[in-house]
Amino acid sequence: MENNKLKPFFTNVNNVKPLMFGEEYASRMILDHVVTGRDGVIQMNHGTVKAGCALGGGVHDEDEIYYILSGHGKLQLDEEIIDVVPNQVIFIPAGCFHALDNRESEEDMCILTFWKDYRYNEAYEARMKQWGKSFVTIDEDV
C-alpha cells in the first residue's frame, strides 16, 4: 500500500514575501494546495492594511472569512459599517460587498483571510501572474 500521508507544513509569516497592492495593502499567501500538496485545502492569506489607508473593496462569488489579528478599523459589509478589533472573526458570504478602512488609525491592521479554494481569491492569480507561483519566501529571487 502506497503511503500518501502528507508532511505537516509550518512557516514564519515574516519569511513569506508579500505581494503589494499599491502602498495600501500587502498580501502573503501562507497556505494553499501548492504548499500542502493537496487539492481542496483551505487557502489562508496574511494581509496588512497600512495605517492611514483604505481598500476599495469588492464582491466575490464565494464565501470568505476574516480573522482580525491586530489593529482597529472599519469594515463595510454591503450597507453596514462595523468596527473591527483584534480577535474578531467575520464571515463574508458570497455576493456581499466588503471593504476595509484603516484611515483613522496610526497602526497597521493585520488580518488572516480564509478561502475554501485558491481559485476564489484574486490575489492568487495576481501572484501567479507576477511571480509564476503562489508561495514565495523573502529569500527567493522572482
Side-chain angles (χ1 to χ4, degrees):
M1 177 179 208
E2 186 177 334
N3 185 357
N4 290 329
K5 184 176 178 182
L6 296 176
K7 292 181 181 179
F9 171 79
F10 59 93
T11 191
N12 182 327
V13 172
N14 294 326
N15 293 332
V16 178
K17 184 173 185 162
L19 180 63
M20 300 303 299
F21 291 88
E23 296 292 320
E24 302 84 14
Y25 187 67
S27 175
R28 292 175 168 91
M29 198 294 303
I30 54 178
L31 189 69
D32 73 356
H33 67 294
V34 174
V35 171
T36 63
R38 177 178 289 148
D39 283 338
V41 72
I42 293 172
Q43 184 190 47
M44 183 188 308
N45 291 280
H46 179 280
T48 302
V49 182
K50 297 295 183 179
C53 295
L55 306 181
V59 176
H60 306 296
D61 293 333
E62 296 294 330
D63 301 333
E64 181 178 10
I65 298 169
Y66 282 2
Y67 178 82
I68 309 300
L69 294 169
S70 63
H72 299 80
K74 306 279 185 196
L75 174 62
Q76 181 177 347
L77 297 167
D78 284 334
E79 302 304 318
E80 183 179 6
I81 297 176
I82 64 168
D83 292 321
V84 293
V85 297
N87 297 316
Q88 236 176 353
V89 174
I90 301 121
F91 172 73
I92 304 168
C96 178
F97 176 84
H98 53 289
L100 284 166
D101 186 337
N102 199 28
R103 290 179 290 192
E104 296 178 8
S105 179
E106 295 179 11
E107 176 186 4
D108 291 348
M109 181 192 315
C110 294
I111 67 171
L112 293 177
T113 64
F114 300 87
W115 298 82
K116 182 170 45 174
D117 190 286
Y118 70 94
R119 291 176 285 251
Y120 305 136
N121 184 344
E122 294 91 353
Y124 173 84
E125 291 300 324
R127 286 183 190 88
M128 294 302 292
K129 184 176 181 180
Q130 184 168 333
W131 297 334
K133 57 188 194 172
S134 61
F135 180 83
V136 177
T137 66
I138 58 174
D139 299 325
E140 292 180 69
D141 187 25
V142 290

